[in-house]
Amino acid sequence: MRKILIITLILALVSTASLTVMAQDSKVLKLSHLNPQQPKEVATAAMAEVFKSMVESGTNGRITVEIYPNGVLGNERESMEQVQSGVTHSYIASGGGMATFYPMFSIVNIPFSITNYSVAYEVYDGAFGQQMAADIEEKTGFKVLGFGESGGFFQLTNSVRPIRTPEDMEGLKFRTMTIPIHMEFMRSLGASPTPIAWAELYTALQTGVVDGQHNPIPIIKIGKLEEVQDYLTLTNHMYTPYVWVLNSDFYSALTTEEKIVIEEAARVANLAGRGVNRLIEASDDGLPYLAKEMEVYKPTAEEIQMFKDAAIPASMDFIEAEYGAEGAKLAQDYLDAIEAAQEKFGM
């Protein structure tokens, strides 16, 4: 009997010690994004949900992922600063959010540079994406988990008149993110650019602070902008990815196995986000829905060329003037990566 009691006591001590070690080894990863946590409807939500599932299962629960959607922890700048300081650990940043901390991110917004999704994915998942991720980490301290998709290609919307050529942009007030080349794009077309935070955009359009904005189809739908915009023009003029960042100290403290799980989970989550966007675009929740609520116009090839003739030279001049030789080289690397991707796919 005494022997049984001793064995029971030893087992209890071992069990308690194991639980203590597990508690010490467990980690919490706080991940935030600005959109609703609706994984079947919102790309960032799908990314967060897939990431959480894969990380928690892949580490056998040693890492728990807490998701903070809808900007509940703060606006974009605040969310980025929280990751930098380690208050939170990860954030899916818009192009505007990243440009605030890494201004040369603007170069990926050369108008009409990327023309289809296959090329976009090849560029950002390949050597150029790795090059830019390394430069972002060196200059900002953010560990880049990948380049997600904000919704696809940018389109123009406004509440004043149909836009068919650059002349129709003349005098309109257009909301942009805090990306200088986005503002230069609007100026090159004769519009007045006005940086406004995403959380304030609906009200700004509703009250006439700005006349229009540009965003991909899924983002227009997420923001319910069709309620305060009458005209949609399908220009496909930019492809601006999300930049998924992670606190570098948190990453450095992970084991090799945990780093592999985190990076694989982020890659798969990015694919999930892109898939959600393609489904939205093609379904009744995307362009077919917006076409019922707004007047949609698809410019002709000749009209698109008019937009290109106005926007591309202005953007290249801006990059050289704003970012000097370093920016010009990064822009050329970006354009070379696009050309290589097009050749790979026989375009």
Side-chain angles (χ1 to χ4, degrees), residues 280-319:
I280 291 172
E281 284 182 339
S283 74
D284 289 340
D285 287 331
L287 184 57
Y289 167 77
L290 294 179
K292 297 175 185 176
E293 305 296 321
M294 309 168 73
E295 182 179 317
V296 178
Y297 181 72
K298 174 65 177 175
T300 65
E302 291 76 17
E303 288 167 340
I304 287 294
Q305 189 60 50
M306 294 171 69
F307 281 98
K308 290 180 177 181
D309 290 343
I312 294 176
S315 296
M316 298 305 291
D317 289 345
F318 171 82
I319 288 171

Side-chain angles (χ1 to χ4, degrees), residues 28-101:
V28 174
L29 192 162
K30 297 180 179 180
L31 167 63
S32 63
H33 64 96
L34 290 185
N35 299 318
Q37 190 55 32
Q38 299 168 351
K40 296 181 180 179
E41 302 173 30
V42 180
T44 51
M47 292 160 68
E49 198 75 20
V50 170
F51 182 76
K52 173 181 172 67
S53 175
M54 290 190 65
V55 168
E56 292 181 349
S57 62
T59 62
N60 199 26
R62 291 193 307 277
I63 299 179
T64 301
V65 178
E66 295 178 355
I67 300 172
Y68 296 88
N70 265 331
V72 294
L73 299 182
N75 61 29
E76 188 129 68
R77 173 181 276 278
E78 292 166 341
S79 297
M80 298 279 281
E81 289 172 343
Q82 287 163 7
V83 174
Q84 270 191 329
S85 65
V87 173
T88 60
H89 308 104
S90 188
Y91 178 66
I92 304 171
S94 74
M98 177 48 64
T100 302
F101 293 79

